[in-house]
Amino acid sequence: MATMPRGRIVGTGSAAPKKILSNADLEEIVDTNDEWIVRRSGIQERRISSKDRNETTTDLATQASRNALDMAGISPDKLDMIVAGTVTPDRQFPSAACMVQESLDAGNAAAFDVSAGCSGFLYALSMAHNAIQCGTCKTALVMGVERLSTILNWEDRGTCVLLGDGAGAVVLTAEKGDNGILSTHLRSDGSLGNLLYSSEGKSSLPEILDCVEQKSFYLEMEGNRLFKRAINCLTSIAREALAHNAMCEADIDNMIPHQANLRIIQATAKNLKISMDKVYTNIHRYGNTSSASIPLAMDEANRGGHLETGANILLVSFGAGLTWGASLLKWTM
Ligand code: COA
């Protein structure tokens, strides 16, 4: 039987809003302090988008995508598929992916969104990779993009200090051989959906006026209960990815985790016996950008020369749903 092609990342890109909101700025908004935020989460500042600065979800995703396409040297009309991981599209419909398809003028691409909380990028990557393996797609654009600042309750210090806005994108092409995406692994547990959710809107839209009055469209989170579960889920899915590829922890050259909390990242790396010098983090500068965090970190790591040819790279994420996932890549660019 002929070997199946796999998706290989041939371009990365990212985009971040201009406005930086520091911990000191937050001290003016809620009862918090820099020391608490840094000690509990590792976050020093985050970016906050504004539609007045052309930083909508579509704007950020388009900019990240153009950067990734430029690096790949691929024109938008070559794309067969555009998949966006997001929970903060500009509109309920059309999808963020369709809006980016229009702004890129990617006339030959199917386009759709994936809603998987902070795991949105890994879910989207998996969809595109599977389509490439099936032969239904040859060139795909995969994005993670969020404007979480638009659904934050700026009176809730337990959540508003943790999250931020941004976008990241990768271009995948179909390739035979040993390089590229080795495997993707996805899980969910909807029974714990109430640990992290944004309550109203969507099909409850007729009740939108009640919703505004009750401020019930904000993101709600039980951080404490998520914390331990995140570490367990990230560790177990990473081990599953390693076992699937007959690898062990020592084979990992780089880990690019979802950036939710530095302590979660450190505990996961410790469980996996992966030294923190192999783990790329930028949470101190962006906070938790949900599905944008992995592609944003990957683009920085790539452009900063941290990813070497032949490196085994582990991606892991955890988020609302609950959802979690992992992917192993053999890097060449
Ligand atoms: N500034 C100052 N104090 C704060 C605060 C803030 N921004 N937010 C909460 N506190 C207070 C709490 O009110 C609490 O006070 P109390 O003991 O008097 O009741 C105290 O700090 C401890 O709160 P707690 O929630 O137990 O802190 P924690 O050590 O669990 O850290 C998180 C909180 C949110 C940073 C942590 O639980 C976390 O990161 N969880 C995972 C979140 C996550 O990953 N979410 C996304 C998944 S993708």
Side-chain angles (χ1 to χ4, degrees):
M1 195 177 77
T3 51
M4 281 194 291
R6 56 174 96 241
R8 180 166 80 83
I9 294 175
V10 292
T12 62
S14 57
K18 284 188 192 60
K19 183 181 163 59
I20 295 174
L21 189 73
S22 68
N23 291 349
D25 296 330
L26 274 166
E27 289 176 14
E28 307 293 316
I29 299 172
V30 282
D31 179 15
T32 190
N33 57 79
D34 175 62
E35 191 272 332
W36 190 96
I37 302 171
V38 172
R39 186 161 44 84
R40 305 279 179 135
S41 71
I43 301 166
Q44 293 168 15
E45 58 188 40
R46 69 288 294 144
R47 302 296 180 99
I48 304 296
S49 58
S50 161
K51 70 176 170 27
D52 298 337
R53 288 190 295 270
N54 297 328
E55 294 170 345
T56 64
T57 293
T58 307
D59 294 327
L60 293 169
T62 301
Q63 195 186 326
S65 300
R66 287 213 171 101
N67 293 341
L69 286 161
D70 283 351
M71 182 185 284
I74 287 176
S75 70
D77 63 338
K78 294 282 182 291
L79 294 171
D80 305 312
M81 183 177 277
I82 301 176
V83 197
T86 186
V87 292
T88 48
D90 289 328
R91 291 175 164 178
Q92 182 164 349
F93 59 87
S95 65
C98 277
M99 291 172 77
V100 172
Q101 183 273 334
E102 196 259 333
S103 57
L104 291 175
D105 196 16
N108 297 311
F112 60 98
D113 288 358
V114 173
S115 172
C118 300
S119 305
F121 175 75
L122 280 191
Y123 267 66
L125 188 76
S126 184
M127 297 305 113
H129 174 59
N130 290 344
I132 285 174
Q133 291 206 299
C134 293
T136 54
C137 166
K138 287 201 163 40
T139 310
L141 174 68
V142 181
M143 299 171 266
V145 55
E146 302 291 4
R147 291 184 73 202
L148 291 171
S149 65
T150 61
I151 57 165
L152 287 179
N153 178 354
W154 291 96
E155 292 172 3
D156 176 13
R157 67 180 183 171
T159 52
C160 74
V161 305
L162 300 172
L163 298 138
D165 302 338
V170 301
V171 178
L172 293 182
T173 56
E175 210 162 284
K176 296 216 164 149
D178 298 332
N179 296 316
I181 298 174
L182 303 179
S183 62
T184 60
H185 307 263
L186 306 175
R187 289 282 186 286
S188 69
D189 182 355
S191 73
L192 295 172
N194 60 354
L195 296 186
L196 179 54
Y197 64 93
S198 152
S199 23
E200 304 301 342
K202 302 290 179 182
S203 64
S204 318
L205 212 54
E207 294 98 43
I208 191 79
L209 292 178
D210 294 346
C211 165
V212 169
E213 200 160 281
Q214 294 158 18
K215 298 186 174 178
S216 56
F217 44 78
Y218 291 133
L219 178 146
E220 303 280 349
M221 182 174 82
E222 276 193 54
N224 247 322
R225 288 182 64 199
L226 283 172
F227 192 88
K228 267 197 195 138
R229 189 159 290 270
I231 297 165
N232 291 341
C233 290
L234 291 166
T235 304
S236 66
I237 200 97
R239 288 190 177 137
E240 180 184 321
L242 289 168
H244 181 88
N245 291 284
M247 285 190 195
C248 65
E249 285 118 344
D251 295 320
I252 296 304
D253 298 297
N254 303 94
M255 177 161 95
I256 305 178
H258 167 50
Q259 316 273 316
N261 182 313
L262 187 60
R263 290 186 296 145
I264 292 177
I265 295 173
Q266 288 166 333
T268 305
K270 190 172 172 206
N271 284 347
L272 295 172
K273 300 185 188 62
I274 295 175
S275 131
M276 278 304 287
D277 350 321
K278 294 183 176 178
V279 181
Y280 192 84
T281 59
N282 59 8
I283 186 169
H284 55 294
R285 286 183 285 115
Y286 296 108
N288 178 351
T289 58
S290 185
S291 60
S293 87
I294 289 181
L296 185 53
M298 185 189 283
D299 184 48
E300 284 195 354
N302 184 26
R303 287 174 196 265
H306 298 282
L307 309 178
E308 290 185 4
T309 298
N312 293 319
I313 301 179
L314 173 65
L315 312 178
V316 278
S317 70
F318 175 85
L322 301 178
T323 57
W324 60 105
S327 180
L328 262 171
L329 321 177
K330 173 78 78 181
W331 191 259
T332 52
M333 175 82 52

